[in-house]
Amino acid sequence: MSDALEPARSAGVVGLGSMGMGVALSLLRAGFRVVGCDLDAAKCMSLVTHGGEAAGSPADVGRRVDRVMVLVATAEQAEEVLFGTEGVAGTLPKGGVVVLSTSVPPDMAAAVGCRLAERDLLMLDAPVGGGPVRAAEGRMVVMASGPEDAFARAADLVAAASGTLHRVGTGHGQGSAVKAVEQMLTGIHAAAVAEATAFGVRAGVDPQRLAEILAAGPFHIPSQRPLGIVGTDLGNVMDAARRLTVPTPLAASALQLFTMAAAVGLGREGDGALAQIFDRLAGNPQEG
């Protein structure tokens, strides 16, 4: 392998959205040479202004580094940036590492790990959490699984990007399964808080005061993601649960609430907007 690749301190980041850009900047602060790629040219240029390098495609990233973190938005995008005509898997050198940090179904993560292994590439199944702020500060939570040699090769990379690493196991798909559990609980908790909030308002509690009390206690941690995205995540988890023949009655009920929220135009709102659905059903006063 060429010394120009600087394998110990070089990294690629494919997907420079709110999480990916935070990861890229954290890696730069840690002293990595960072090569980034995104469909949005402005995001690539932003990385350059902070000292990173821009690549024209995922394949170009793979030609310039031997370790890559994938932080695109969807499973479909992950498939394309890994195995598409300009995919990074086609150009990474043998022994290279993919840290798959996009949230994908557990069975997809397992399949991707096998496909990369056929190309003599290592993979960590390493979805992340914590939101954009923690990503920018290098304090993400990482739920990772994969073979020991993949952990060893990506240890400094993951450490620079995260504040907490949970090593879930040695099999691809286990990290994604933990992320799916988190997504399921996020949806169910948000629905439960919305239902309980509507009850409190109906019982005469001031809505603002109730929101302050709930925010100060252990009752609910906001997801920091729009309702439409949380609902999509929950739907994907339920699809995976059906394939595993796991009953999910609570998640199914929560998903109906997210679907109603999307139907009335609340898909871009945060968790607090879920209570509006119950407010309408209960006849509570509406804001605005």
Side-chain angles (χ1 to χ4, degrees):
M1 188 178 294
S2 169
D3 290 341
L5 288 175
E6 301 175 25
R9 301 302 298 174
S10 294
V13 178
V14 178
L16 297 173
S18 57
M19 297 294 284
M21 182 62 79
V23 167
L25 296 180
S26 295
L27 292 174
L28 285 170
R29 286 195 302 271
F32 283 80
R33 168 183 167 243
V34 179
V35 180
C37 175
D38 195 279
L39 288 175
D40 187 341
K43 293 177 180 177
C44 293
M45 290 303 99
S46 178
L47 177 63
V48 171
T49 64
H50 286 89
E53 302 174 23
S57 67
D60 189 22
V61 174
R63 295 185 187 99
R64 295 159 66 175
V65 299
D66 68 342
R67 299 184 297 173
V68 177
M69 293 190 72
V70 176
L71 291 123
V72 292
T74 68
E76 292 76 17
Q77 291 174 356
E79 170 72 23
E80 180 63 23
V81 302
L82 286 171
F83 302 111
T85 55
E86 286 294 314
V88 68
T91 56
L92 273 177
K94 290 184 178 181
V97 182
V98 172
V99 180
L100 180 59
S101 293
T102 298
S103 296
V104 303
D107 52 357
M108 176 179 174
V112 168
C114 290
R115 293 166 69 186
L116 291 173
E118 292 171 354
R119 299 170 182 251
D120 293 321
L121 299 174
L122 299 169
M123 186 186 104
L124 278 186
D125 170 25
V128 298
V133 172
R134 293 184 69 169
E137 295 173 347
R139 297 190 303 110
M140 295 189 308
V141 177
V142 180
M143 297 145 272
S145 64
E148 186 60 41
D149 49 356
F151 273 108
R153 289 275 287 111
D156 60 339
L157 182 65
V158 174
S162 66
T164 303
L165 168 63
H166 297 292
R167 292 187 61 160
V168 180
T170 59
H172 296 133
Q174 294 171 328
S176 289
V178 173
K179 180 63 177 180
V181 169
E182 178 193 68
Q183 291 171 326
M184 183 182 293
L185 290 174
T186 294
I188 292 171
H189 288 172
V193 169
E195 181 176 327
T197 298
F199 165 78
V201 172
R202 184 68 166 179
V205 182
D206 176 74
Q208 183 61 37
R209 183 60 181 140
L210 181 58
E212 292 170 357
I213 293 170
L214 293 177
F219 309 104
H220 177 58
I221 301 175
S223 69
Q224 300 181 325
R225 306 186 78 194
L227 294 179
I229 295 177
V230 177
T232 297
D233 289 343
L234 189 56
N236 291 337
V237 171
M238 290 183 61
D239 287 340
R242 278 192 292 270
R243 291 193 292 272
L244 293 170
T245 63
V246 176
T248 54
L250 297 180
S253 295
L255 181 58
Q256 287 301 309
L257 185 60
F258 284 97
T259 302
M260 285 188 278
V264 298
L266 298 176
R268 296 180 181 272
E269 302 295 325
D271 286 0
L274 277 181
Q276 295 181 33
I277 302 299
F278 283 108
D279 286 337
R280 296 181 187 192
L281 294 173
N284 290 338
Q286 300 289 303
E287 296 182 2

